DNA sequence: ACAGCCATGTAACTCGTTACATGATTAC
DNA sequence: GTAATCATGTAACGAGTTACATGGCTGT
């Protein structure tokens, strides 16, 4: 049964394990508040083509639902989909996270730039970290009420807390780099 | 002059700003000890095709060097390459880092798995973090001697320290998740 | 002699993106 | 009425990967 999917395929399957039937559009919205922080925000077009593949393989079931007058397609994970997801979790190692850290990449070669620019970049990064942390904190709050052991959002809340810690850690690292840079200049 | 390159192209240019002329093979080795931790480890084939593009645009200069009997091609950054790099650093925002965190992705949907598997995954991650940190610490040590303000490896050492802090933070986050999971089970 | 590293590429393919296109429903 | 949001796709393209192919040099 070794028919592998792109990881984003499994991610979509995963989003569908939380109970509800979702449209492609809704899956995108869910991805934007969850996957976006530690995976990717897939483009709409990719979600639809991935859903197509999952449907073809019988891992999700498409259902034409009436949304008022018009027809809308909702997707639900099938038993085969659950099984494929479990197999993936059990049978393939998670692997080491990949970081595409453009800020660090630029800091590595900051000697071709000037100190002000580098400082500015790090300040910008701190601002963006704040915004991201605020967004994630909001998501985290929305999980309260079902985030205790055994409740549906237990794992999402663990992940959200991890993410918040990660943002906080990045802020510390960026500030530390800024301190060191300013020490360099003042002697 | 708005002829953009893939980021990996700029990364290669960046590696060539540290002074020496390198072969494609050597660039790969450098990438494996630097870029790999916060960008990617590009495949050999990509490095060669990227070097081809950079050469075509005059951003690097290829030179046939005699390595004993055989001819080997080394690459050096040109003035135009320096300029393109500076333009990229100054003209385009760094953007927010992208994390492809397979461990967090799986933790998010750990409810389709069982507790032992999740625990095992986190322990595996801790092991891999240790190994990565050891590798990076070795690289960091190799920079000593030229890592003071104004010296060539100042920025690489800042970045390496950041990376070490990042790995340490990830270890803490993973252990915290493990603690919480075991609390869930024991009550 | 043979393994392993140095060195350079080509070809096929996949994931994922952007741009484009369409149209219905909802809120103001 | 009109802007925003909901909803669904197609087409072209690009970055990056794996697999394949070749061959010289080096250490034991």
């Amino acid at each position: 049964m070794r028919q592998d999917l792109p990881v984003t395929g499994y991610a979509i399957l995963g989003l569908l394990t939380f109970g509800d039937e979702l449209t492609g559009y809704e899956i995108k919205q869910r991805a934007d508040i969850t996957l976006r922080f530690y995976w990717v925000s897939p483009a709409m077009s990719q979600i639809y083509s991935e859903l197509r593949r999952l449907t073809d393989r019988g891992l999700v079931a498409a259902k034409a639902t009436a949304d008022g007058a018009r027809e809308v397609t909702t997707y639900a994970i099938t038993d085969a989909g659950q099984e494929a997801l479990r197999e993936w979790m059990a049978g393939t190692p998670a692997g080491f996270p990949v970081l595409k850290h453009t800020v660090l990449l630029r800091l590595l070669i900051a000697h071709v730039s000037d100190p002000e620019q580098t400082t500015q970049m790090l300040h910008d990064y701190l601002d963006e970290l704040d915004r991201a942390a605020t967004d994630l904190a909001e998501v985290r709050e929305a999980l309260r009420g079902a985030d205790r052991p055994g409740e549906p959002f237990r794992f999402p809340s663990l992940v959200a807390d991890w993410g918040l810690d990660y943002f906080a850690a990045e802020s510390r690292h960026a500030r530390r780099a800024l301190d060191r840079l300013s020490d360099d200049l003042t002697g």
Side-chain angles (χ1 to χ4, degrees), chain A:
Chain A
M1 221 297 145
R2 195 110 304 273
Q3 52 165 357
D4 288 339
L5 294 171
V7 179
T8 301
Y10 292 109
I12 291 176
L13 282 180
L15 289 179
L16 291 172
T17 59
F18 288 95
D20 0 56
E21 296 190 352
L22 301 173
T23 67
Y25 194 88
E26 287 167 334
I27 289 172
K28 167 67 173 163
Q29 292 178 318
R30 297 283 176 103
D32 281 346
I33 59 167
T34 53
L35 298 183
R36 123 152 178 253
F37 295 105
Y38 28 77
W39 187 245
V40 277
S41 238
M44 284 292 346
S45 63
Q46 199 199 352
I47 287 180
Y48 284 113
S49 55
E50 200 57 46
L51 281 171
R52 176 69 204 275
R53 167 163 32 197
L54 294 170
T55 309
D56 287 349
R57 300 202 186 169
L59 305 180
V60 303
K63 189 166 69 174
T65 311
D67 167 44
R70 71 174 156 170
E71 286 231 320
V72 163
T73 312
T74 58
Y75 297 86
I77 189 168
T78 62
D79 289 346
Q82 293 270 4
E83 181 52 26
L85 195 52
R86 261 196 302 273
E87 239 177 70
W88 176 66
M89 302 267 276
T92 64
F96 201 71
V98 172
L99 193 53
K100 306 199 101 184
H101 205 308
T102 34
V103 173
L104 280 178
L105 177 59
R106 282 170 187 236
L107 185 56
L108 177 75
I109 51 176
H111 60 277
V112 309
S113 185
D114 50 282
E116 296 76 41
Q117 238 171 59
T118 306
T119 303
Q120 184 61 51
M121 173 183 74
L122 289 171
H123 278 125
D124 289 348
Y125 182 38
L126 282 171
D127 289 347
E128 288 174 76
L129 277 169
D130 273 350
R131 256 173 280 137
T134 305
D135 289 352
L136 185 51
E138 207 174 294
V139 172
R140 208 272 167 248
E141 284 311 311
L143 300 175
R144 299 219 186 269
D147 61 347
R148 326 291 293 277
E151 292 182 328
F153 297 148
R154 177 62 178 166
F155 294 111
S157 76
L158 287 181
V159 170
D161 286 340
W162 184 320
L164 289 168
D165 283 348
Y166 163 72
F167 288 144
E170 280 291 284
S171 287
R172 287 195 306 275
H173 304 154
R175 278 193 298 271
R176 183 168 171 232
L178 276 169
D179 285 348
R180 296 229 247 159
L181 288 175
S182 80
D183 285 354
D184 288 4
L185 294 173
T186 61

